[in-house]
Amino acid sequence: MNTRTSSLRMGPLAAAVLGGAVLLGALASPAMAAVNPPIHMTHGIEYMSGGIGSDEAKLMETVAPRWPATFEFAIKDHKGAEFASDVHLTVRDGTGTALLDDVVAAGPFMLARLDPGTYEVEARLRGNTLRQTLHVMPGAPARLEFLWPAGTDMASAGTGAVR
């Protein structure tokens, strides 16, 4: 058997070994550790919430620009801000119709697929309600931050800091 024939026979085997190594490396990468939180739907509107833990928070921040609306929840105290979860969110369109009606955020971030338009957004955390107006423009993600004052029930706060 000559060297030329030998290297041709080894080509597919080498490719298979290399492909397996690449696959194993991809499966072991830290990026694979974070899994997208589930996408829910209510009244025809898709939404996703999460961000508990630094990996999931990074993932939510990474995918947020692909969603028309991002909501972030935190409680501010003298040390800065702590992420909040278990926030009840209601989003109403211009006619007052609730598109997201009392949905609960499973973490400090919620993303929603809202059509371009103006929305009234109400976020409630342990009886403390904050309201803001959201303007979603075509092709430009919109973001609202809800920041409750110190003294809001800290039992509902998660870990992490808000910018």
Side-chain angles (χ1 to χ4, degrees), residues 37 47-64 69-74 83-87 89 104-112 143-145 159-163:
Y47 68 95
M48 175 172 63
S49 67
I52 299 292
S54 61
D55 286 345
E56 193 173 283
K58 286 177 190 172
L59 184 134
M60 294 293 285
E61 287 183 349
T62 299
V63 301
T70 298
F71 307 102
E72 187 174 337
F73 314 109
F83 282 145
S85 61
D86 298 323
V87 173
L89 191 78
V104 180
F109 297 99
M110 183 176 284
L111 311 175
R143 180 182 194 102
L144 286 181
E145 293 180 1
T159 59
V162 174
R163 307 177 241 110

Side-chain angles (χ1 to χ4, degrees), residues 21-34:
V22 169
L23 178 62
L24 283 174
L27 292 174
S29 78
M32 294 295 288

Side-chain angles (χ1 to χ4, degrees), residues 8 13 33 40-41 49 60 67 73 81 85 87 95-97 103 119 137 145 151-152 155-156 162:
L8 286 175
L13 178 59
H40 303 279
M41 184 178 288
S49 67
M60 294 293 285
W67 290 72
F73 314 109
S85 61
V87 173
T95 67
T97 302
V103 296
Y119 301 89
M137 304 299 287
E145 293 180 1
T152 302
S156 64
V162 174

Side-chain angles (χ1 to χ4, degrees), residues 2 5-6 28-29 32 42 44 46 68 70 72 77 79 85 102 116 122 126 128 134 137 152 160 163:
N2 68 32
T5 308
S6 199
S29 78
M32 294 295 288
T42 183
E46 288 182 325
T70 298
E72 187 174 337
D77 64 13
K79 296 177 187 174
S85 61
D102 197 32
E122 177 182 285
R126 302 290 185 194
N128 297 293
L134 175 71
M137 304 299 287
T152 302
R163 307 177 241 110

Side-chain angles (χ1 to χ4, degrees), residues 75-83 147 149-151 154 160-163:
I75 299 171
K76 181 155 180 64
D77 64 13
H78 65 282
K79 296 177 187 174
E82 292 290 321
F83 282 145
L147 190 61
M154 292 305 286
V162 174
R163 307 177 241 110

